[in-house]
Amino acid sequence: MNHLKTPIANEDLDNLNVGDQITISGTIYTGRDAALPQLVELIKENEVPFDLNGSVIMHTAFSEAGIAPTTSSKVEIESTIPFLSENGVKIHIGKGMLSDETAESLMKNNSVFVITPPVAALLTSKVIEKKCVLFEWEGMEAMYELKVENIPGIIAIHKGEKI
């Protein structure tokens, strides 16, 4: 088991391989269909109010029921992964299968895709704090900053390889 702490450095990913089990602690961000395309626009306008370098984004909404990954291959989500990786996001957490093109962009930017169990009770129990940081009008699909302890996952795409 590899234990990672945010922010993620390139060196943190060097010794990881597809299939490795990890945990992530520290600050992560949430985003899915409604938020991620808007985040891309804010990056283009240089208006993101937090540092994305070494960041982790989990493809999820945050509701009273908690968090659980959504399907990352949705066009609104997968289409943002290359640009977000180019702009500092090191780990994308979600579920499902991504295209070969997305895998190539992850490799080019030394970023990874991590799958996590879609078990809301487990994942929500790992959240220590939450606060809305962007797109509050999107309700549960707003972007949240979460302080987490040991979010579990498996490296699904890294170094051009897929699980």
Side-chain angles (χ1 to χ4, degrees):
M1 179 77 68
N2 295 282
H3 303 283
L4 302 176
K5 182 149 179 54
T6 63
I8 306 298
N10 282 328
E11 302 77 46
D12 294 331
L13 303 177
D14 287 345
N15 295 321
L16 296 177
N17 296 297
V18 167
D20 286 353
Q21 295 180 27
I22 65 165
T23 62
I24 300 170
S25 297
T27 299
I28 70 170
Y29 297 94
T30 66
R32 53 175 286 167
D33 315 43
L36 293 179
Q38 292 180 76
L39 177 61
V40 165
E41 291 306 312
L42 285 183
I43 293 168
K44 290 177 180 176
E45 297 166 9
N46 201 26
E47 293 184 9
V48 178
F50 46 85
D51 189 4
L52 285 173
N53 289 313
S55 65
V56 175
I57 293 182
M58 183 175 193
H59 303 151
T60 188
F62 202 109
S63 72
E64 293 307 314
I67 59 171
T70 194
T71 303
S72 300
S73 60
K74 295 179 196 172
V75 172
E76 298 85 357
I77 296 174
E78 186 168 2
S79 66
T80 68
I81 292 173
F83 187 80
L84 293 173
S85 296
E86 285 174 25
N87 285 277
V89 177
K90 286 296 171 190
I91 299 178
H92 305 265
I93 304 173
K95 68 177 185 178
M97 198 160 79
L98 300 178
S99 71
D100 291 340
E101 294 79 19
T102 300
E104 287 175 29
S105 75
L106 288 167
M107 181 174 66
K108 176 182 171 192
N109 295 296
N110 194 30
S111 295
V112 301
F113 179 58
V114 170
I115 55 174
T116 191
V119 182
L122 169 67
L123 296 173
T124 304
S125 75
K126 306 295 183 181
V127 176
I128 299 164
E129 286 178 36
K130 72 169 181 169
K131 75 174 178 179
C132 184
V133 291
L134 287 172
F135 321 123
E136 186 175 354
W137 59 87
E138 296 292 357
M140 68 182 207
E141 285 203 30
M143 278 197 84
Y144 283 85
E145 178 183 276
L146 307 179
K147 303 289 186 210
V148 299
E149 189 69 36
N150 295 321
I151 291 280
I154 298 171
I155 303 292
I157 300 176
H158 189 32
K159 301 174 186 170
E161 295 182 31
K162 295 164 80 171
I163 203 165

